[in-house]
Amino acid sequence: MASEVMSDARQRQELADELAEYGVRIAQPDDPPLFTKEPKSTMQPFHWKAADLARLLEKIGASLKLEQGGQRRTLRLTNPGLPYGTTPTFWASIQYILPGEIASAHRHAATALRFIMEGSGADTIVDGEQYVINEGDLVLTPSWTWHDHEHKGSKPMIWLDVLDISLVRSLHATFFEGSSEPRQSVNRISDRSYREFGSGLLRPMHEQRTGGPSPVLAYTWSRAQEALSQAAGLEPDPFDDTLLEYQNPLTGGPALPTIGTAIQTLRPGANCKPHRHTGSVVYYVVRGQGTTMIDGKQFDWSKGDFLALPPWAIHAHQNRSDNADAVLFQVNDIPVLKSLGLYREEAADGAMSRGTAA
């Protein structure tokens, strides 16, 4: 379609003004292609470095207030190739909260999550369930759930916030509601979902729910590390070494319907094969150092860095250390692609690779 020649180009142009009066149009010779042979994303690969982010976080922490209402104190990771957001479907930002502060209660149609990057002493309440959050923990905020946070520790806390707001905005389905109270009341059993489903192996026998977001709202770092340790005894995946997805215990699928979350280990000296897939990814380096090649461009990363991967970009990871693991946390929009039947993955040589990893 992109290379199709219009032999009636003059007639099409002559009709354009008349048709526009009635709210209709026909394809014109200078229209951008409606179909392309493969995805052509304007999103760009981008690297945010830990040292830069740390300096800027301290700066906004010293000058910006955290007040009642929906506004948080965050650094938004903006992509230079997009008019809005970090990827075509979600926005990643870094939240900085000081001791004694409360990020007041609100809810929104956008699905959200937070991955704790640094610090301890805060807790979050999601629809009445309260959890202490520590470094490495993943906390979910499903669509339209009330949530608030309070920092009771002695040093600033930093966490990654991700919302599928770009997707929700594109669908014109944005809703938001604030609360008159800074914090919610806590349910009588404050951690019910974790008690019911947190083992990861067993669940209530007569549970009726079968779909939607995960009933587990908090995934602890200790459980994630244990799972990575067990998986390290298996053969490495040629494209991602060891890659584990946070799952919904009701469905066995992704924890959230629109945002994928995974934790990845690159063993010492790992040098993964290049591949590509539909769907965008943002990586956060939990520990270690390595290199990722994206469409021929080299990105050398280390602890605390972020890296954005556009859809259908050929990429390959390497661990630069010969004696220490590298660990990456990632968010992606692959659940959306899969639910719409649009997920595709292939090795750099064009051969189809296993179709589940990022």
Side-chain angles (χ1 to χ4, degrees):
M1 296 290 286
S3 60
E4 188 174 353
V5 176
M6 295 181 179
S7 60
D8 57 354
R10 179 178 59 80
Q11 292 90 333
R12 288 173 177 271
Q13 291 170 334
E14 290 174 351
L15 283 167
D17 290 342
E18 181 183 353
L19 294 174
E21 293 180 16
Y22 298 93
V24 294
R25 72 186 308 274
I26 53 177
Q28 295 292 335
D30 57 350
D31 284 350
L34 185 61
F35 296 101
T36 56
K37 185 178 180 180
E38 59 185 30
K40 301 290 184 182
S41 178
T42 61
M43 178 186 167
Q44 297 179 20
F46 202 84
H47 184 196
W48 295 268
K49 296 185 178 181
D52 297 330
L53 295 173
R55 177 177 58 83
L56 296 171
L57 285 167
E58 288 187 11
K59 194 166 189 175
I60 68 169
S63 59
L64 301 183
K65 296 180 181 180
L66 186 61
E67 297 177 315
Q68 176 74 14
Q71 199 63 257
R72 309 303 203 204
R73 185 195 293 112
T74 61
L75 279 181
R76 297 175 177 179
L77 304 183
T78 57
N79 191 280
L82 299 173
Y84 183 88
T86 314
T87 84
T89 61
F90 63 84
W91 201 321
S93 59
I94 307 170
Q95 186 163 168
Y96 191 86
I97 184 167
L98 298 170
E101 288 187 325
I102 294 176
S104 58
H106 65 210
R107 61 179 177 173
H108 37 67
T111 292
L113 63 88
R114 62 211 83 259
F115 183 83
I116 313 306
M117 298 166 54
E118 185 179 317
S120 61
D123 70 75
T124 187
I125 305 175
V126 180
D127 268 359
E129 292 203 15
Q130 186 175 35
Y131 293 94
V132 174
I133 50 180
N134 296 297
E135 190 169 322
D137 291 351
L138 171 65
V139 181
L140 307 184
T141 307
S143 173
W144 211 236
T145 54
W146 289 103
H147 53 284
D148 56 76
H149 326 290
E150 182 175 3
H151 187 13
K152 302 170 183 175
S154 57
K155 296 180 180 180
M157 279 195 73
I158 303 170
W159 59 69
L160 168 66
D161 278 337
V162 178
L163 297 92
D164 63 356
I165 186 63
S166 301
L167 175 63
V168 173
R169 280 167 58 102
S170 70
L171 296 172
H172 294 199
T174 300
F175 292 89
F176 177 89
E177 184 179 357
S179 173
S180 59
E181 298 296 328
R183 303 217 74 188
Q184 308 165 60
S185 58
V186 179
N187 296 340
R188 183 179 66 83
I189 301 176
S190 63
D191 58 349
R192 176 180 291 277
S193 69
Y194 194 81
R195 289 174 181 268
E196 290 178 319
F197 300 98
S199 73
L201 298 173
L202 303 171
R203 71 177 197 178
M205 184 170 178
H206 301 295
E207 175 61 44
Q208 298 299 309
R209 291 172 292 176
T210 57
S214 173
V216 177
L217 299 175
Y219 294 73
T220 65
W221 181 235
S222 60
R223 287 289 178 88
Q225 288 190 105
E226 180 184 355
L228 282 174
S229 176
Q230 294 291 333
L234 303 173
E235 298 82 2
D237 179 274
F239 304 101
D240 287 299
D241 199 343
T242 300
L243 181 65
L244 300 178
E245 181 180 42
Y246 292 84
Q247 74 164 358
N248 181 338
L250 292 177
T251 65
L256 292 168
T258 55
I259 306 175
T261 50
I263 196 77
Q264 178 175 14
T265 295
L266 301 174
R267 295 170 233 212
N271 194 0
C272 298
K273 293 182 178 180
H275 70 140
R276 61 182 176 179
H277 50 70
T278 52
S280 53
V281 182
V282 170
Y283 298 95
Y284 167 65
V285 184
V286 178
R287 67 170 180 259
Q289 57 183 2
T291 295
T292 298
M293 298 293 297
I294 302 178
D295 280 344
K297 187 175 181 179
Q298 181 171 322
F299 297 90
D300 295 327
W301 42 259
S302 56
K303 176 179 169 59
D305 288 4
F306 285 86
L307 186 63
L309 173 70
W312 209 236
I314 294 176
H315 61 285
H317 306 298
Q318 179 184 3
N319 183 349
R320 296 201 307 270
S321 173
D322 292 326
N323 51 38
D325 289 342
V327 177
L328 307 174
F329 172 77
Q330 69 162 265
V331 290
N332 60 65
D333 51 14
I334 290 173
V336 177
L337 277 294
K338 287 186 174 180
S339 68
L340 296 175
L342 297 174
Y343 184 71
R344 183 180 297 189
E345 181 182 7
E346 66 180 24
D349 60 7
M352 294 304 294
S353 60
R354 46 96 187 102
T356 55

